[in-house]
Amino acid sequence: MDQSIPEIDDHEMQDGTRTNSAAATQNAASPIPSATPPKPDQKLCFSPKYILSGHTKPVASLKFSPDGSTLASCGADKLIKLWDANTGEILRTLEGHEEGISDIAWSFDGEFLASVSDDKTVRIWDFGLGTQVRCLLGHTSFVFCVNYNPNSNLLVSGGFDETVRVWDVGRGKTLKVLPAHSDPVTSVAFNHDGTLIVSCAMDGLIRIWDTDSGQCLKTLVDDDNPICSHVKFSPNSRFVLVSTQDSTIRLWNYHTSRCVKTYVGHTNRTYCIPACFSSTKDKYIVSGSEDHKVYVWNLQTCQLMQVLEGHRDTILTIDTHPTKDIIASAAMEKDLTIRLWFGEMTQPIE
Amino acid sequence: MNESLISPFNFSHPTAVQTSLYALGSFARFDPSGRFIGVGRFDGLATIWDLETKAAVRWLDGHVKAVTSLDWSRHSQYVLTSSKDWNVIVWDLASVYDPPQRHATIRCDAPVSSASFHPRNSQIILALLSTGEVYLIDLRKNHRSRTELYEPDGDEDGTEGQSSRRYAMTVARFDTSGKYVFIGTSGGYILVFNARTKAMIARHRIAGGAGTIKGLDFAKNGRRLVTNSSDRTLRQFIVPHYPRSPETGVEIFLDQELEPTHRFNDPINKTAWHAVSYSPDGEWLAGGAADAANHKIYIWDISNDGQFASTLDGGREPLAHLHWHPSKASIASTTNQGNILIWHSPNAERWGAFAGGFEEVDENVEYEEREDEFDIEDEAEIIRRKKEAEQDDVDIDTIDGANAPVYPAVNGFHVSGGNGAPPSGNVGESLDEDMKWADEDANDDIGVWKMKILMDDDDL
C-alpha cells in the first residue's frame, strides 16, 4: 500500500493508511472483478484507492491525459504535478508560473499541456521533455480557464479581463479576442469537432460561438441568472452541462434553449466547481461540493448514485477518466490531497 | 456541427474574400476535409496550410523545378505532388518528422504535367506527362506496374505503330468512383479507360469540336462533367453509362459524340478560362477567367438551368487557378503573384444571439398575450412541470451525421457502406470486381491520423 501514497507527510500517513485499508476490506468483501459480466442487480460503486499529496496550496484543476495514463494537477502553489493514474506515483513537477495556476488542458496526443495562471499568461509544456515550450501573452488580467480544440492547433482561454481568446498554438499568437462577457469568464471549451466554442461567466450567461468567424450564435440564460462556474459540451455536442452557484447542475439543449436535466443535492455557492460526464458505459455525472463530498448522479434519472466521503475541505475540482470508471478529486486548504476513486460493480449494500 | 446554429438554408456561393494567404503559389487545392490547403510553387516547394490558423504548417521540399499539381488522399494523410523535374512524390503527413518523410518517389520519363491519386486507393496513381502520354502507376506489391493508357489503332489489322489519329493527351482525371479514367486530348476528344483493365472503353468527340481540352472536373455525385477547352467555352456533359457485355462482363466499346447540356462562356470579353470547379453539391459552377488585368471568378447556377449568377472580383492580380471547398461555400483562388484568396459567404452578425431568450424577427409581429401569461403560478406546480419535462432520456453520445462513410457515386449509382467494406448489391458483378481491385491492399490512409502540432522556435 505504500506506493499508493507518494510524497506523504506523517500526519497524512495515518489518514491515507486508514482510507486504503478501508478500500482493501471493501475489495475483499466483493472479490468479483469488474471484468466479469455484472449481474443485473449489481451497481457501480466507487471506493477510494489512492491519496496523492504533494501540493502545498489548494489544487485548482485536475485532468486525465487523453489515454488515461497520467493525471495532471495544478494549483495555487504555482506548480503542475503529473501523476501515474494507475499507481498514483508522482512522475514530474513543472515549475514556471509566477502566480497560482487556475486551469490546465491536455493536447489530443497527450504530448502538450496548456496551463493558465494569475500571472496573466498561458503556458504550453512539453510532457515528454518536462519543459515549457511557449508562453502566450495577451490577457490583461488573471486567466482562469483553458482548453484545446480536437486538432490541438487552437487553444481557447478566458479570464478576469472578461474576454475569450483563441490562440494559434503553432505560432503562439492570438487569433481572435472575443469580447465575450461582462464579468470574469469562468469556463470555456470547444465542441467535439472544434467548430463551436462555449463560454460562461460570472454574469450568468452561457454563450456559444462560431470558431471560424468568432460570431456569437446563441446565449443561454437561466431564469434566476445565477453565477455560472463551469460549462462543457456533451460528447456529441448536442447539449452543454452547466454548473451554477445556486447548487445546481443543468444539462441544456442549446438548440431549443431548454434545460433537459437538473442535478441537485450538492452544495455550491462560492467556488467554481466543475461537473463531468462519465465516458464509460455507465452514464453518470460527477461534481464536487462545498460540503467536502463528491456527488455522482445517474445521467438519465438525475438520482444520486453515490456520495463519496473522505475529503476534509471543499472539493474544488474533479475529473473523470477517459476510459475507466475512475474519478479524481481534490480539496482545499484543510485537506490539500488528490484522491482517486475506482469504480467497481458490486452488490448494493442494504 | 456549427451549421445547425448558423443557418441551414443559405448554402450558396461565396461572395467575399475572407483571407489572403501570402503563399507564393501557382495553384492551391483544398484537402477532402476542408481543414488544409495544399499549395504548389514555382520553386519546387509545396506547402500545406492550416485554414483554422491560416498558417503554413508543413513544407514539402523535394522537387527541384516547379510543382505542377498536388492531390490529397481520401483521408488527407498522403499528399502527392508532381513536378517539371520529372518526379512524382507521395508525402506522408502523419509522419512525425519535419519536413515530412517521403512515402514514395516515382521517376517519370518526362516532365509531369499533373498527377492524381485513385479516389479509393492512394497506391494507384495517374500521371500525365508533358509529352502527352498518360501512365497508370500501381505501387501495390501484387500489382506493381506502370501502364501507359493509349488509344489503340483504329484499324483491326494489328499493325503496330502510331495511329495518325492519335492526339496528345492534355488532361487526365479519375472519375469520382475511380472506376474510369477520363482523358482529354488536343483533338477535342474525351477518351475513357477502365482503370483496372487499362482498356479504352469509350471515345467521345465533343459535338461541334472544341479544340484542345484544357481542364476537366466532375460534380461530386459523378454524374456530370465539365470541360474547359481552347475555344474559350466551358461545356457541361452528362456522364454516359458504359454498358457491359453480359457474357464477358467487359464494357462494350463506345464511340459516341457527346452533346453538352450547357455551354458557358463570356459573351462580351470572350475570355478564356484558367480553371473550373463545381460546388460540393454540384449546384454551382465556378470558372476562373483568364483575364490579364483582373481577378474574376464567374459563377453559374446549375440548378437554375445554368444561369449566370454573379462575378466575383478579386482585385488587380490576375487569376491563375481556383478550387472549390469540399463542403462549404468557399473558394480558393490563386493570383499570378502567388497569393491565395480564400472566398467565403459571410453570415450577418445576429445581435439577438447575445441576448438569452430573444428571437430576431424580420418584421414587426403583433404580440398576442396568452390568457394566463402573467398569472402567478404555484411554485410546486412549476417544479412538477419542470420535472415532467426532464423525464425523457437524453442521448449524449451519438454524433449527428457521423455515420458510415458514403462512397462517391459509381457512374450514377450511389453506394454506401460501413468500415471501408466494398459496396455491393445493386451494381453489376464485374463492377464489384473493379472495386475489389481498387480496394485491394489499400494503405493505412483510414482517417484516424492527426497532424502533429509543430511549435516554431522563433520566439523562444
Side-chain angles (χ1 to χ4, degrees):
Chain A
M1 275 297 158
D2 283 347
Q3 84 281 5
S4 66
I5 315 152
E7 291 203 345
I8 211 141
D9 301 323
D10 282 348
H11 72 280
E12 295 282 355
M13 182 68 90
Q14 280 186 327
D15 181 49
T17 317
R18 180 156 47 76
T19 319
N20 276 291
S21 56
T25 50
Q26 199 164 358
N27 285 345
S30 56
I32 309 153
S34 55
T36 56
K39 288 177 191 159
D41 59 340
Q42 285 189 332
K43 65 173 208 175
L44 186 68
C45 195
F46 287 92
S47 52
K49 185 135 180 205
Y50 300 120
I51 297 177
L52 320 176
S53 43
H55 282 286
T56 54
K57 283 188 175 173
V59 179
S61 185
L62 287 171
K63 291 285 168 69
F64 282 104
S65 63
D67 66 354
S69 66
T70 312
L71 177 71
S73 64
C74 68
D77 56 6
K78 310 170 197 173
L79 301 176
I80 299 170
K81 287 184 183 285
L82 300 160
W83 315 81
D84 186 316
N86 294 312
T87 64
E89 277 173 89
I90 180 104
L91 300 173
R92 185 161 266 164
T93 300
L94 307 174
E95 300 178 49
H97 275 295
E98 287 154 26
E99 295 293 337
I101 306 169
S102 294
D103 199 9
I104 38 173
W106 290 90
S107 67
F108 74 85
D109 52 8
E111 288 197 31
F112 297 103
L113 267 168
S115 61
V116 295
S117 155
D118 286 359
D119 64 11
K120 307 176 191 173
T121 63
V122 180
R123 292 178 200 236
I124 300 173
W125 309 81
D126 186 310
F127 171 58
L129 300 173
T131 53
Q132 178 186 317
V133 290
R134 182 139 285 165
C135 181
L136 310 177
L137 302 172
H139 276 289
T140 56
S141 186
F142 311 142
V143 198
F144 196 71
C145 47
V146 66
N147 261 307
Y148 271 101
N149 75 338
N151 290 326
S152 297
N153 56 346
L154 302 178
L155 266 176
V156 65
S157 64
F160 279 61
D161 59 6
E162 300 167 8
T163 64
V164 165
R165 278 176 184 260
V166 182
W167 306 85
D168 174 351
V169 173
R171 285 185 295 184
K173 303 231 157 58
T174 301
L175 281 178
K176 283 191 183 74
V177 183
L178 311 177
H181 291 278
S182 53
D183 268 315
V185 179
T186 52
S187 183
V188 63
F190 284 99
N191 72 335
H192 76 273
D193 65 0
T195 52
L196 298 174
I197 294 170
V198 65
S199 68
C200 72
M202 291 176 129
D203 59 10
L205 303 177
I206 303 138
R207 291 212 159 110
I208 293 174
W209 308 83
D210 182 46
T211 308
D212 194 35
S213 66
Q215 289 177 340
C216 179
L217 299 177
K218 191 103 190 182
T219 299
L220 300 174
V221 59
D222 192 57
D223 297 340
D224 307 323
N225 209 22
I227 289 178
C228 288
S229 43
H230 187 260
V231 65
K232 74 188 296 177
F233 279 102
S234 67
N236 62 3
S237 309
R238 264 191 230 169
F239 305 97
V240 288
L241 186 68
V242 182
S243 309
T244 46
Q245 291 182 14
D246 57 352
S247 300
T248 310
I249 297 162
R250 292 182 179 84
L251 188 66
W252 288 84
N253 178 335
Y254 59 87
H255 285 110
T256 58
S257 304
R258 266 174 210 289
C259 173
V260 292
K261 297 283 172 191
T262 308
Y263 307 93
V264 289
H266 64 307
T267 316
N268 181 10
R269 305 236 164 242
T270 317
Y271 297 100
C272 290
I273 304 175
C276 278
F277 294 97
S278 66
S279 44
T280 55
K281 72 178 199 312
D282 280 284
K283 297 296 168 201
Y284 51 90
I285 303 281
V286 184
S287 175
S289 167
E290 285 157 17
D291 62 6
H292 313 178
K293 294 168 194 162
V294 177
Y295 284 72
V296 185
W297 293 269
N298 181 305
L299 169 77
Q300 304 294 1
T301 64
C302 304
Q303 300 293 314
L304 269 174
M305 276 168 59
Q306 202 181 346
V307 179
L308 311 180
E309 298 186 39
H311 278 295
R312 288 173 300 167
D313 203 345
T314 292
I315 316 277
L316 209 50
T317 179
I318 52 107
D319 195 27
T320 51
H321 192 278
T323 54
K324 296 178 195 161
D325 286 309
I326 303 176
I327 298 170
S329 63
M332 290 183 64
E333 284 95 345
K334 285 183 215 141
D335 186 318
L336 296 177
T337 63
I338 301 163
R339 286 174 196 238
L340 287 175
W341 312 78
F342 282 54
E344 271 186 32
M345 299 308 287
T346 51
Q347 297 288 347
I349 300 150
E350 296 303 320
Chain B
M1 194 69 216
N2 55 354
E3 288 89 349
S4 54
L5 279 183
I6 296 171
S7 171
F9 303 114
N10 70 346
F11 187 89
S12 69
H13 59 78
T15 50
V17 175
Q18 181 191 28
T19 348
S20 172
L21 309 176
Y22 181 66
L24 299 171
S26 51
F27 63 89
R29 274 186 77 85
F30 289 105
D31 84 310
S33 73
R35 178 184 159 195
F36 301 110
I37 195 160
V39 177
R41 313 200 328 182
F42 290 111
D43 60 5
L45 206 60
T47 49
I48 306 298
W49 293 68
D50 186 336
L51 290 171
E52 286 178 337
T53 58
K54 314 276 192 296
V57 289
R58 290 291 187 280
W59 287 259
L60 312 178
D61 190 0
H63 293 291
V64 294
K65 284 190 176 170
V67 177
T68 51
S69 77
L70 183 148
D71 195 23
W72 293 87
S73 67
R74 192 152 133 196
H75 297 290
S76 311
Q77 183 179 338
Y78 295 98
V79 171
L80 173 152
T81 53
S82 69
S83 163
K84 287 184 178 167
D85 69 359
W86 300 25
N87 285 331
V88 172
I89 302 180
V90 180
W91 308 86
D92 182 0
L93 294 185
S95 77
V96 294
Y97 303 100
D98 179 51
Q101 263 177 321
R102 286 178 189 216
H103 186 67
T105 308
I106 302 153
R107 178 87 178 153
C108 295
D109 304 325
V112 189
S113 308
S114 83
S116 52
F117 284 123
H118 187 286
R120 297 171 75 94
N121 192 331
S122 54
Q123 309 250 59
I124 308 168
I125 290 162
L126 182 68
L128 168 73
L129 307 186
S130 63
T131 51
E133 294 155 347
V134 171
Y135 288 90
L136 200 61
I137 298 152
D138 202 326
L139 299 176
R140 295 175 295 181
K141 272 210 185 74
N142 301 333
H143 297 276
R144 194 170 281 274
S145 63
R146 186 179 293 207
T147 316
E148 187 181 356
L149 300 182
Y150 63 94
E151 191 178 354
D153 274 332
D155 309 318
E156 295 284 296
D157 57 5
T159 45
E160 293 289 315
Q162 302 289 304
S163 158
S164 58
R165 288 204 298 151
R166 214 169 145 189
Y167 294 102
M169 295 172 173
T170 48
V171 53
R173 288 284 302 266
F174 283 106
D175 75 334
T176 49
S177 68
K179 198 163 137 52
Y180 302 118
V181 175
F182 282 68
I183 294 174
T185 73
S186 58
Y189 280 88
I190 294 174
L191 310 177
V192 186
F193 292 81
N194 180 305
R196 177 175 61 92
T197 63
K198 279 87 178 170
M200 184 162 100
I201 57 158
R203 175 170 51 209
H204 302 294
R205 201 180 95 85
I206 289 175
T212 304
I213 307 217
K214 290 160 57 188
L216 253 178
D217 191 41
F218 289 92
K220 233 184 187 175
N221 65 14
R223 283 174 223 171
R224 281 178 285 135
L225 152 75
V226 64
T227 62
N228 177 18
S229 47
S230 59
D231 68 348
R232 309 188 161 212
T233 305
L234 306 176
R235 290 177 173 80
Q236 177 179 260
F237 303 96
I238 303 293
V239 176
H241 182 67
Y242 299 108
R244 293 156 181 283
S245 142
E247 296 98 52
T248 60
V250 183
E251 288 91 349
I252 302 158
F253 182 75
L254 199 67
D255 198 343
Q256 187 192 48
E257 201 172 68
L258 274 188
E259 184 69 46
T261 60
H262 295 92
R263 288 185 178 82
F264 307 99
N265 48 30
D266 177 355
I268 302 150
N269 301 321
K270 284 274 170 211
T271 52
W273 307 99
H274 272 320
V276 56
S277 188
Y278 275 110
S279 68
D281 59 359
E283 309 240 308
W284 306 90
L285 184 72
D291 187 319
N294 290 297
H295 191 98
K296 284 223 160 82
I297 299 169
Y298 287 63
I299 309 261
W300 292 278
D301 187 349
I302 300 292
S303 59
N304 201 355
D305 200 32
Q307 213 169 36
F308 172 74
S310 82
T311 319
L312 309 182
D313 189 346
R316 291 262 148 241
E317 294 177 10
L319 178 142
H321 187 265
L322 71 80
H323 187 227
W324 201 302
H325 189 281
S327 56
K328 281 201 283 192
S330 172
I331 288 175
S333 67
T334 311
T335 74
N336 70 350
Q337 306 294 305
N339 294 318
I340 319 281
L341 307 182
I342 308 288
W343 298 80
H344 73 149
S345 166
N347 291 299
E349 182 98 56
R350 285 180 297 130
W351 301 108
F354 279 91
F358 274 70
E359 208 179 309
E360 270 179 62
V361 287
D362 290 329
E363 47 191 282
N364 284 334
V365 177
E366 186 116 356
Y367 188 74
E368 273 179 52
E369 187 188 314
R370 276 181 292 111
E371 167 71 34
D372 56 350
E373 183 148 0
F374 295 103
D375 290 2
I376 293 163
E377 260 188 295
D378 185 18
E379 278 219 10
E381 177 66 14
I382 295 173
I383 291 168
R384 195 193 60 79
R385 202 146 34 79
K386 272 196 176 172
K387 273 249 165 68
E388 214 156 74
E390 293 177 10
Q391 285 297 316
D392 295 339
D393 277 5
V394 291
D395 177 1
I396 61 161
D397 289 313
T398 316
I399 292 167
D400 299 307
N403 35 25
V406 176
Y407 285 108
V410 181
N411 200 19
F413 293 98
H414 206 73
V415 282
S416 65
N419 306 327
S424 57
N426 57 358
V427 275
E429 180 94 342
S430 148
L431 189 142
D432 274 18
E433 211 174 303
D434 288 337
M435 289 300 151
K436 256 187 235 155
W437 170 82
D439 286 338
E440 206 178 295
D441 193 18
N443 59 10
D444 52 346
D445 177 40
I446 47 170
V448 291
W449 77 285
K450 280 205 173 182
M451 183 176 273
K452 191 177 148 60
I453 303 304
L454 301 173
M455 307 267 187
D456 311 340
D457 298 330
D458 301 347
D459 59 350
L460 285 182

